[in-house]
Amino acid sequence: MIDSYAGSGDVAVAIAGARAGADVVRRMYGQRLNHIDKGAGDFATAADVAAEKTILGIISAARPDDAVLGEEGGQQGAAETVRQWLVDPLCGTLNYAVGNMLVAVNVALRDGAAAVADPFSGEVFFTDGEIAWVRRDGAYDVQLTPTPATRLVDVNLDPPFPSAPGFRAVDLLAHPRFIAHFRPRVVSTTLALAWVAAGKRAAYITDGHDLSRSVHFAAGIALCRDAGCVVTGIDGAPIGETGRGLVVAADHETHGLLMSMMHSRS
């Protein structure tokens, strides 16, 4: 089965990896899984490790010369190679460990194809690097269409907070204009980004350093960009090596409104 992807395009490899990882995550759901301590309050489970192993098996068979950066296994292959895959085998480990199904599996080729699989809905969000789609029940593809109609905004409240005190997500939630225009949500990072691309969320906001090459964010950012979302750092500048945090909005009006609140103290 793995070898059948050797001659496929990058998007097929990304989809195959994400779906295979999602199969592992779904199969192991509900089991008693030991926590693997990663420090600073972070941990992995056997499901994270097993899903990543499965995903890497597909990538290595299909693209043996490519490098891979996995959340659990780290760098494999030369980090400076032109082609590097970024893999987060279980985005939302804390949710998963306590029996919450709001999780996702991420596979992204840096600056190229990407796929995000929801193990429990069966949806696979993907992009070939130009256009973003969702595949439901493995049967049909629908192009992603962002819209701010829901007025739901996912805001990441997890540390670190490198931009404080200039920007604190918790302050945004208490902003009078935010309360008037939006309703806050907090969910798995990748699902939140995929849902902005799909029109299920109006926006997503998080603080942080450069997230463009993060295993946690790369696939979701690729989906949102190719779906036509507005994607910047929290200062409004393009994300990248000098960027900070992430603001993804369904349209320019929503993005502008959020940016004005983020940089306003009243």
Side-chain angles (χ1 to χ4, degrees):
M1 187 68 173
I2 290 176
D3 290 340
S4 68
Y5 296 102
S8 301
D10 290 331
V11 67
V13 175
I15 292 171
R19 291 184 65 181
D23 288 343
V24 173
V25 170
R26 186 171 55 253
R27 185 173 65 248
M28 298 182 72
Y29 178 76
Q31 298 180 19
R32 292 180 60 87
L33 302 172
N34 292 331
H35 291 192
I36 304 167
D37 184 25
K38 297 165 68 172
D42 194 12
F43 65 90
T45 71
D48 297 71
V49 176
E52 181 166 300
K53 181 178 179 181
T54 298
I55 295 167
L56 266 57
I58 288 175
I59 294 174
S60 64
R63 301 290 186 267
D65 297 327
D66 291 359
V68 178
L69 176 61
E71 181 182 8
E72 310 308 333
Q75 181 70 38
Q76 298 187 28
E80 65 275 8
T81 186
V82 173
R83 292 175 54 90
Q84 181 188 45
W85 294 84
L86 305 169
V87 175
D88 183 354
L90 208 175
C91 179
T93 299
L94 180 57
N95 282 346
Y96 186 81
V98 298
N100 188 308
M101 295 182 179
L102 292 176
V103 301
V105 176
N106 306 348
V107 178
L109 177 63
R110 192 176 71 206
D111 301 323
V116 172
D118 182 333
F120 299 104
S121 74
E123 292 177 313
V124 180
F125 304 88
F126 65 92
T127 175
D128 59 5
E130 296 182 0
I131 302 174
W133 307 79
V134 60
R135 180 170 297 172
R136 296 187 174 95
D137 301 322
Y140 62 96
D141 300 339
V142 177
Q143 188 170 340
L144 296 181
T145 306
T147 171
T150 66
R151 299 198 301 164
L152 300 176
V153 176
D154 279 290
V155 182
N156 180 16
L157 302 174
D158 293 336
F161 310 115
S163 298
F167 168 73
R168 279 188 284 240
V170 68
D171 295 335
L172 177 63
L173 297 183
H175 195 293
R177 293 175 65 205
F178 186 93
I179 295 168
H181 287 274
F182 300 110
R183 292 294 179 268
R185 294 293 185 272
V186 180
V187 72
S188 160
T189 295
T190 309
L191 280 185
L193 289 169
W195 289 349
V196 177
K200 298 180 180 182
R201 292 289 194 267
Y204 172 85
I205 300 166
T206 185
D207 197 356
H209 297 291
D210 174 24
L211 304 178
S212 62
R213 297 187 177 183
S214 164
V215 297
H216 304 291
F217 288 90
I221 289 171
L223 283 175
C224 289
R225 277 179 165 163
D226 294 341
C229 299
V230 181
V231 181
T232 71
I234 60 174
D235 59 355
I239 60 172
E241 293 182 5
T242 61
R244 186 177 292 273
L246 180 66
V247 179
V248 176
D251 61 3
H252 286 282
E253 182 179 357
T254 302
H255 183 271
L257 185 57
L258 287 167
M259 292 299 295
S260 70
M261 296 176 196
M262 290 165 57
H263 298 288
S264 168
R265 288 296 189 177
S266 61

